[in-house]
């Protein structure tokens, strides 16, 4: 029996990086998986999983896309048990006064409003079936200040507040809402990862990470799996740093 046997999961940003690893891992653990992304890459990931997965195009900043992705889970697999609001992007990193209002709106539309929409419509579905687990991908930047990351960090801090408040709103409805806070992870957000799927030996992250190395997408997926599974049945409203010790360093 897998750790998610019988569960139905929707994962956003499933076409790359952490979301891709979550989709593959959750399927290996017995879940049916809806792979949602706006890139088109979700089709390949779902195809590699087979009958236990379906791909759906979704831009998480668009309400109709979020509602459709939840409906796909319900229509294809009967219900929604797990929602990973994982899709996001960093935008350009620079001092705050050089950032534009347009960049602010774009980064927040996806990284913050996208999570709000996911929780809102995910919860509506889960309330119908008696509960579920939501795992939001925030960031270590939501916990501590990072130079040149103001807009992104503010959105990720917002994700943590959405997580805590939603955890309280639905604590008595069987819906747990938690977050992971990745540190520096070797994914599509890191340009060099496009040429090297794993960090070349000796490659160091740009900030001082106590463990001295990049994190891997699979390590984020492992944390998400725990929070999504019944093993975390008494855990709600937490933000787990998965960052090689960065935020305590
Ligand atoms: P990634 O680029 O490999 O994957 C992100 C995926 O999200 C892509 O497939 C992309 O197409 C998708 N996506 C982006 N905007 C979308 C939208 N509007 N609608 C639907 N899909 C969208 O990057 P990743 O590192 O795996 O990112 C996953 C999450 O982790 C993001 O929320 C990111 O902010 C967060 N994060 C990443 C790091 C890191 O170091 N890589 C650190 C902290 C947090």
């Amino acid at each position: 029996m897998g750790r998610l046997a019988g569960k139905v999961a929707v994962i956003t940003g499933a076409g790359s990086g952490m979301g891709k690893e979550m989709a593959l891992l959750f399927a290996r653990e017995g879940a049916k998986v809806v792979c949602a992304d706006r890139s088109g890459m979700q089709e390949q990931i779902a195809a590699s999983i087979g009958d236990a997965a379906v791909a759906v195009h979704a831009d998480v900043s668009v309400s109709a896309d979020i509602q459709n992705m939840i409906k796909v889970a319900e229509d294809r697999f009967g219900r929604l048990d797990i929602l990973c609001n994982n899709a996001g992007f960093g935008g350009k990193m620079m001092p705050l006064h050089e950032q534009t209002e347009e960049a602010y709106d774009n980064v927040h539309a996806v990284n913050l409003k996208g999570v709000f929409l996911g929780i809102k419509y995910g919860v509506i579905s889960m309330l119908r079936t008696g509960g579920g687990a939501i795992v939001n991908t925030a960031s270590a930047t939501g916990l501590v200040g990072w130079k040149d990351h103001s807009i992104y960090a503010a959105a990720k801090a917002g994700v943590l507040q959405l997580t805590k408040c939603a955890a309280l709103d639905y604590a008595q409805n069987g819906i747990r809402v938690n977050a992971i806070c990745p540190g520096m992870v070797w994914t599509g957000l890191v340009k060099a990862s496009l040429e090297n799927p794993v960090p070349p030996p000796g490659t160091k992250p740009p900030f001082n990470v106590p463990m001295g190395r990049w994190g891997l997408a699979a390590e984020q997926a492992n944390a998400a799996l725990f929070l999504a599974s019944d093993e975390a049945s008494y855990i709600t409203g937490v933000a787990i740093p998965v960052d090689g010790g960065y935020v305590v360093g």
Side-chain angles (χ1 to χ4, degrees):
M1 286 280 281
R3 292 161 71 188
L4 300 181
K7 309 260 192 206
V8 177
V10 170
I11 298 167
T12 68
S16 174
M18 301 176 201
K20 169 184 165 185
E21 293 299 326
M22 288 175 199
L24 297 173
L25 178 61
F26 285 20
R28 285 201 300 278
E29 291 294 342
K32 303 274 196 293
V33 183
V34 176
C35 301
D37 207 302
R38 68 178 176 185
S39 68
M41 292 302 291
Q42 71 276 8
E43 300 284 347
Q44 278 184 29
I45 307 306
S48 75
I49 292 170
D51 289 346
V54 62
V56 59
H57 171 87
D59 179 334
V60 298
S61 66
V62 177
S63 180
D65 285 9
I66 292 278
Q67 293 177 62
N68 179 58
M69 122 196 140
I70 305 284
K71 190 169 181 305
V72 168
E74 294 171 338
D75 290 351
R76 180 73 180 261
F77 299 125
R79 55 190 289 126
L80 174 69
D81 300 297
I82 297 165
L83 171 61
C84 293
N85 290 308
N86 166 78
F89 74 103
K92 290 188 179 153
M93 303 306 172
M94 60 185 74
L96 188 149
H97 74 282
E98 293 175 17
Q99 292 283 5
T100 64
E101 295 179 36
E102 187 187 13
Y104 181 97
D105 289 342
N106 289 338
V107 167
H108 280 240
V110 174
N111 290 291
L112 185 54
K113 185 182 174 192
V115 175
F116 160 72
L117 291 171
I119 296 174
K120 176 177 167 68
Y121 291 105
V123 160
I124 289 171
S125 177
M126 289 172 180
L127 286 173
R128 283 198 288 265
T129 54
I134 296 176
V135 182
N136 300 319
T137 303
S139 170
T141 60
L143 293 168
V144 296
W146 276 23
K147 187 178 178 315
D148 293 341
H149 281 63
S150 54
I151 290 177
Y152 177 74
K156 292 301 191 179
V159 169
L160 294 180
Q161 286 304 99
L162 287 178
T163 300
K164 290 178 203 169
C165 295
L168 295 176
D169 287 351
Y170 307 109
Q172 299 204 7
N173 299 99
I175 302 173
R176 297 181 298 100
V177 188
N178 292 295
I180 58 171
C181 295
M184 272 151 272
V185 187
W186 193 262
T187 67
L189 286 191
V190 180
K191 272 197 192 121
S193 77
L194 304 177
E195 286 162 19
N196 299 291
V198 292
T203 309
K204 299 280 184 204
F207 293 85
N208 183 29
V209 177
M211 286 191 184
R213 67 169 176 84
W214 286 92
L216 303 176
E219 293 172 313
Q220 306 298 324
N222 284 333
L225 168 63
F226 168 67
L227 290 172
S229 77
D230 292 341
E231 294 160 21
S233 54
Y234 201 49
I235 299 177
T236 197
V238 306
I240 299 183
V242 189
D243 65 349
Y246 182 75
V247 301
V248 294

